[in-house]
Each structure stands twice: as C-alpha cells, then as structure tokens.
Amino acid sequence: MEPMTMLGALVGTLLNKVCPGWLIALLLVLLLGLTAKRTWTKGMKGWEREARHAQVRQSRRLANGSLDGMMDGLLHSPASSLESIEGMPLRSPTLDEQEAAQAAAQAVLEGVKGTDELQDLLVSERRTIHYGKDVLMLMTVLMASFTLSMLRGRSYSLSPLGVHCGSPAYWALNGAQLVLVLAVSAAIRQMLMRRHQWKVEHGYPFLPDDVRWDRKTTTKYPMLCVGAGLCAGMFGIGGGIVKGPLMLEMGLLPAVSSATSSFMILFTSGIAATNYAILGSLDMYYAPALFVTGLVSTLLGQWGLSSLIKQFKKQSIIVLAISVVVGISAVAMGVVGVMTTMNEIEHGQPQGFHSLCGQMLDEPY
C-alpha cells in the first residue's frame, strides 16, 4: 500500500504547483468534510457495538460464570495454534472485538493444530524484526526517490546534471521515480500473496480484523492508496488524515489503523516534502517550530487517548477523535483558504492555473 501512496504523493506535489490556491483549498475542505462525516458515523456505530458487547459479556458472566473461563482456556490452550509464550497469547482478542475471540476459539474447536512452521510464524510475528525486510524495502524506495529528485533539481543551476525544467531529461527522471515505485509495489504484491497463500495452506488462525491479501485486496487497496497519496501531495497534508479513515473502511481495528497510518506517514511525508523542497515550495523557517509542536502534541495526544481507552474500554474513541480532528481541520482550512484567496485578489495576483516551470527563470535555453 505504501509504495502506491508514495506514487500518488509524487503526482500530487506536481499538481499542487500548477493548481490555483483557491481550488486546492476548496477540494481540501470538501475532502476533509466528507471524511469527517463518514468517520464520525463509523465511530458512533463502533461505540454502539462495543456497548452491546459489554452488555452481552456482563449478562453472560451473570448467567454463567464459567463461560469466560472456558473461552480463556481455549485461547490459551497449549495444544492449539494459539499457544502462549510467557503467558501472552500469540493471537489475542482485542478490546472491542469479541468476534475475534470467538473465531479463535472456533479454530481450536475445529482441531486447527498447526504445523511447526506455523507455530514459528506465529512466534515471529510478535517480534518487530520479523518485518525488518519490509521496512528496509520502503526505506530503499524512499532514498532512491530522494536521489532522483536531487538529480532532477529545481532548476538548471541547482541540478547536478544541469537538467532544464520541462526538458526530456526532466520528465525522464520524473518517470523513473514512478517506474521505481510501481516496480517495488508489484514485487511487494507478489510477496504478500505468497505469504497469504502459505498461511491458508498451513491453517493460519485468521481473525475478523485481519486483511486477507489475495488478488482482489492487493489490487483494490493499493489503488485507493494512490488517491490518498495524491491528496497528501496535492494538499500538503501528511496522509494520515486520509489513510486512517481509509484503513477503518478496510475493516482494521481503530488502534491498528492509527498505528499503521502513523508509520506510513513517515514515507509519504518524506517523499512529498522532498518534492516540495525541490520545487521551492518548502519554507524551512517554520520547520523547527512545527516539528517540536507536532512531536509534543503527538505524545500528549497518545497519552490522553490511551488513558481514555483504558477507562472506557472502547477503541471507537480513536475513530471519534480522528473525525473531530479532521472536522476541525476542514473548518480551519476553509477559513484560511478564504482569507488567503481574498488577500491574493486584493494584491492583483492571478487566480488561474500556473506553469510548473513558470518561476524558474534562471535556466538557459
């Protein structure tokens, strides 16, 4: 998913350069407004579902105190593929998904024992290093794209190869970035499908919130991520504000969606920021202050949200928090967009589309 998001971000940064500010602001407000509404609706449904689950669990405990003990015994059974290590279940249920526990228990009841290879996979998936190769591949794509952007440069005088903006060499380097990302995305797709097929053949205990990486999902979700990356690059947002709701639509748990989209922002923002810098649209004056503000706000937000989840035992709080942030962003961007456009009109600035190379006048022809 992430390579295709990076591809969208590359195209989006170019669109940002040529589109008028009022159009970008309008599209961004519409996107954020619709996203906030849909995410709020999904969050409220999740809240109601979790409340019903809590009531059912309470009723079961009152009706039969042994039921939960039976479920725990199945999930921690050493004879099953859900075998525990140091008291922690390999495929544990989540706070808001009772269906996950039921599906896992059903797998045990049906006699899914698992092979030694499956047991090894379940163990390795608990370790961060298990995904080291995947992260290394993404880092390689990011660095390769950064190198191509540097070689392209902003203008003839700033390009190590002396590339003219709009020349065949300029577009060839842009095309090389897209081909690189597409090639890596295709390789990752094949790898994910092989992994999924192996899991199916070995009786992997899938849970309801797991993504099944078959031919359909490895085509559908990356294509949706192209749109998310396009928005990230064109509107100058990190991508998580779009990626988070997108992953919720995929059926991922709120905590998984939030953590995964936050990780992916590193690469999406990295490639978008590089292109903005190359195009001369990045103001480094604000970078230190925004970095510190963002870091502190993230830490405080994570601490506060974790406290609320522990108190209310509802992960849908994450979804509702995302919708509130997106909604506030929509209002703020609308106000800023109107003020900026009015200021540009007062100063006689043109409101039409711009030339990608219009401000790069130092190039010899």
Side-chain angles (χ1 to χ4, degrees):
M1 292 174 60
E2 181 54 28
M4 297 302 287
T5 309
M6 296 166 70
L7 183 147
L10 287 171
V11 177
T13 53
L14 297 179
L15 291 176
N16 177 276
K17 189 69 175 179
V18 301
C19 291
W22 64 265
L23 178 60
I24 294 175
L26 176 62
L27 293 176
L28 179 57
V29 170
L30 290 175
L31 172 67
L32 295 180
L34 292 174
T35 301
K37 181 179 181 300
R38 188 173 182 86
T39 306
W40 178 265
T41 301
K42 193 174 188 66
M44 291 305 299
K45 290 181 179 179
W47 181 281
E48 294 171 359
R49 185 181 68 250
E50 289 171 330
R52 289 195 301 269
H53 287 166
Q55 293 176 356
V56 170
R57 287 194 294 270
Q58 180 65 19
S59 299
R60 286 177 176 176
R61 278 193 290 267
L62 294 175
N64 186 355
S66 63
L67 182 61
D68 286 343
M70 185 192 311
M71 184 68 72
D72 290 338
L74 288 171
L75 290 173
H76 294 79
S77 172
S80 72
S81 60
L82 304 171
E83 185 176 32
S84 298
I85 292 181
E86 298 178 355
M88 294 294 290
L90 296 175
R91 298 287 291 161
S92 60
T94 57
L95 289 175
D96 68 340
E97 290 290 344
Q98 185 70 9
E99 296 95 335
Q102 294 171 352
Q106 184 65 29
V108 176
L109 291 174
E110 292 175 355
V112 180
K113 302 296 183 182
T115 62
D116 291 340
E117 292 85 357
L118 179 58
Q119 294 284 352
D120 292 340
L121 175 63
L122 290 170
V123 173
S124 65
E125 283 187 336
R126 290 170 55 92
R127 305 190 182 113
T128 305
I129 196 169
H130 173 76
Y131 305 97
K133 292 182 179 179
D134 300 341
V135 177
L136 179 61
M137 187 178 299
L138 291 176
M139 289 298 298
T140 301
V141 175
L142 181 62
M143 295 307 299
S145 180
F146 173 77
T147 301
L148 290 172
S149 295
M150 292 300 295
L151 291 175
R152 186 182 70 235
R154 178 187 175 188
S155 62
Y156 176 82
S157 61
L158 298 177
S159 170
L161 301 180
V163 176
H164 301 270
C165 178
S167 67
Y170 180 89
W171 292 114
L173 289 172
N174 272 303
Q177 286 182 296
L178 301 182
V179 171
L180 169 68
V181 174
L182 284 172
V184 172
S185 181
I188 292 177
R189 179 176 184 266
Q190 293 298 321
M191 179 182 65
L192 287 176
M193 288 194 297
R194 286 196 300 269
R195 286 182 183 177
H196 176 72
Q197 186 61 33
W198 188 94
K199 289 180 177 181
V200 172
E201 293 174 353
H202 289 76
Y204 186 85
F206 289 101
L207 301 181
D209 52 284
D210 287 333
V211 178
R212 309 291 184 94
W213 292 113
D214 52 24
R215 290 186 178 274
K216 180 180 179 181
T217 55
T218 54
T219 302
K220 176 183 177 181
Y221 294 150
M223 293 305 296
L224 292 175
C225 285
V226 173
L230 188 68
C231 294
M234 183 176 181
F235 302 140
I237 56 180
I241 206 167
V242 179
K243 270 290 187 64
L246 173 61
M247 290 186 175
L248 292 173
E249 293 294 331
M250 291 170 55
L252 295 182
L253 296 173
V256 177
S257 172
S258 177
T260 305
S261 61
S262 297
F263 171 76
M264 296 171 72
I265 286 175
L266 169 65
F267 303 96
T268 306
S269 299
I271 199 167
T274 299
N275 261 23
Y276 273 123
I278 295 299
L279 293 171
S281 301
L282 189 65
D283 192 342
M284 295 300 296
Y285 177 79
Y286 295 103
L290 294 177
F291 173 78
V292 174
T293 302
L295 181 62
V296 173
S297 299
T298 299
L299 293 175
L300 292 176
Q302 184 67 39
W303 173 79
L305 203 57
S306 298
S307 301
L308 290 175
I309 293 174
K310 290 179 180 178
Q311 179 179 353
F312 293 99
K313 299 295 188 295
K314 288 182 172 62
Q315 288 199 32
S316 55
I317 294 176
I318 299 176
V319 185
L320 296 175
I322 291 175
S323 68
V324 170
V325 171
V326 174
I328 294 175
S329 300
V331 175
M333 287 306 304
V335 173
V336 172
V338 170
M339 294 176 61
T340 301
T341 302
M342 292 180 61
N343 183 64
E344 290 177 350
I345 293 175
E346 289 178 359
H347 288 79
Q349 296 184 19
Q351 296 301 306
F353 288 86
H354 313 297
S355 170
L356 180 64
C357 307
Q359 296 179 357
M360 304 174 187
L361 303 178
D362 62 328
E363 304 189 45
Y365 291 91

